[in-house]
Every structure is written in structure tokens, then in C-alpha cells.
Amino acid sequence: MTTTRKPSHERPEPEESGSSTSPIEARLEARIMQQRESKLTETESALAEARDRHLRLAADFDNFERATRQEQLETIQHASAELIGRLLPVLDDLRTALDHKPDGIDEAWVRGLELGVRKLEEVLASHGLEPIESVGASFNPKFHEAVGHEESEEHPEDTVVSELRRGYRIRDRVVRPSLVKVSRRPELPTAKDR
């Protein structure tokens, strides 16, 4: 009986000799490695460029978002200031009516009107409206509009001595300047007057 060996599916290992590759194969392998390194360098450079572009775009988008939010806030504040500016004459008229109420008028009616004026002032204040403090302050053309002068020895020159119409502002923005009278030093008598 003869025994047969089954063929092996394993690859035979190459016999080792002093050098397994020929000079041509070595140059080919070196060229392939050089191409791979070159391709890797190109890919890394493209990745770094894409990363930088992404960071710039993200920063640009953040700046755009911030600018858009600021613009929307300014638009809302401008619209609010516009509406409030139109309501101020109504508030002035109501205050004038209270200041000049006729004799014999029902006090309950007056208190109701005062309550209405106070509520209107509170609503306007909730939107940032603040009165401009004028009397006793130095004249400031940003907040005051001078409509006259009063001679005064007790106040320094260019001090607001009376307010004819109250001024208002919303945060940094003046909605309406105060109409004021400003102090000035009394004129000294001239040689003719003596």
C-alpha cells in the first residue's frame, strides 16, 4: 500500500539568499515609497488648509451672527424709541391737564387721571425711557435745548435754572431734549447807565 500525501495549501517559503530583491526592485520600491510620502505630504497640506478654511468660516459666521443680532436689537430699539417719541406729547398733555385742573372738579376723577398718567409712565419706563435731569445741571447741548436765559447771581453761568418741557432718553439715545432756560451772569452797568 502506498500512501499519498495530500497537497498542502500553504505557500512554500522563499529560500533565503543573501539579497531577496534585485537592484531594479529596490529602486522601484524606493520610488513607490517616495511617491507615497509625497502623496502623504500633499494630503496633510490639503488637510491643514481645509482645517484653516473651516476655522476662518466658523469665525466669519460667528461674526455675522453677532452683527445680525446687534442689528436686530438696534432696529427694535429704534422702533421702540420712535413710538415712545410719538407718545410723549400725549403724556405732556395729560400732565398739563392735571396741572391746570379747574376748581370744583371731582377728586375721584383727578385721582383716576393721575393713575392713568402714572401707568403710562411705568409702561414707558419698562421700555427704558428715563427723564433727563435738567434743573441744576450744567447745560449740555446733547441733552438740553436752550430757549432762553435768566440772569442769576446764585447759579454759575450755563446752569439750567428752569425746565419748560421735560426731556427723555432711552439708554444712550436722546428721544427728546429738555427745553430749558440757562443762567447767565447779570450784565454790568455800562458808563451810559451810571
Side-chain angles (χ1 to χ4, degrees), residues 42-63:
E42 283 179 30
T43 305
E44 286 174 344
S45 174
L47 177 63
E49 187 179 316
R51 196 176 292 137
D52 287 346
R53 197 172 333 123
H54 169 74
L55 291 174
R56 278 194 302 275
L57 284 172
D60 287 346
F61 182 73
D62 286 345
N63 290 338

Side-chain angles (χ1 to χ4, degrees), residues 96-114:
T96 302
L98 283 172
D99 291 342
H100 297 94
K101 61 184 175 202
D103 292 333
I105 197 160
D106 184 12
E107 285 301 315
W109 184 84
V110 172
R111 282 193 302 274
L113 187 57
E114 288 171 344

